Amino acid sequence: PSPRFGPGMTKAFVDVADIRFTQEHIYDSFNANSSKAGGVVELVEAILAGEKTPSDLPLIRIAVKRGAYWCVDNRRLFVYKHCRLGSIPVEVHAWKDNREFELKFRNGLPTRSMTGEGRRVGVLQRTEVPFPKSPVMELSLSQVTVFMSTTKQRKHEASIAALRSRLDEALASERVAAAGPSEAVREAESLLGLLAPAAKASKVKRRKATRRRGADPEAPEPGDEGLPEGEAGLATTAPDGCPAKSKRRRKGAAVDAKVARVCVEKSPAAPTVVSTAPGAAHLVVAMAGDGSGDEDYDVEVTAM
């Protein structure tokens, strides 16, 4: 569908790849009578070096015709397209509010089929500044006598790729910041909230068991119940002959059956990876099934 804007001028962000040239060619300088105005190559290099951005310059003017965006500031549009800037701030005008749109559109109309319907433009060189080869330049309509050397062209293209990479990273960071916590992270936090009371109860149970063993040295530690005599609390011997710390079989924290059922509804698989999004917290919840023979459900929470 065709873009729609209200009457008058509005400001918006538009992908530069979606904006078309109204004219059939551009010059490589901004003013034929004054070198102080600078040139296309100079502006390209300033943008690649991070010295300027489209926001530092007058915004390019675009309008809608035949379902496409058309620009009357063709030289700056060439610079932004050549640098692959992506989304840029623009001024959006109504086509009939500015006669410049129709006049320049008619200028490029005879060669529109040669320029990919305005996606490329011819370049006329009137300075001696070496001009870069560009996919935005329509060679059949161009008059360029001095191009960049092969080595300089290669470095130039590397600078464009580096800028595009920086812009992509900045855009990704903005999207993450705007999105806030992901749904997977929120679900993991909710699940941890359900398991927290059970973990606290298990800690209290272990403390009580420790106190009971203090009163009855023969009482088994949690996790040793049901083991054949002689297997509970097996001691090992260190290489120097000194007794090493005893190894004991541990069980998962006991969880109230009601809490476990809620957790199973959230994570029916065992184990279940709650989040697999890049950079997100991973939470694995493993639960015993109904046929495990345990009096309570065993729950293991592992952060990865």
Side-chain angles (χ1 to χ4, degrees), residues 40 81 113 134 137 169 177 246-247 263 268 300:
V40 169
K81 279 179 169 287
S113 61
S134 174
M137 178 171 58
E169 290 176 1
S246 297
K247 294 183 178 179
C263 295
E300 178 185 356

Side-chain angles (χ1 to χ4, degrees), residues 181-191 273-277 280-283:
S182 66
E183 184 64 29
V185 172
R186 287 194 293 269
E187 183 178 348
E189 290 174 347
S190 175
L191 188 55
V273 179
V274 177
S275 172
T276 57
H282 286 206
L283 181 69

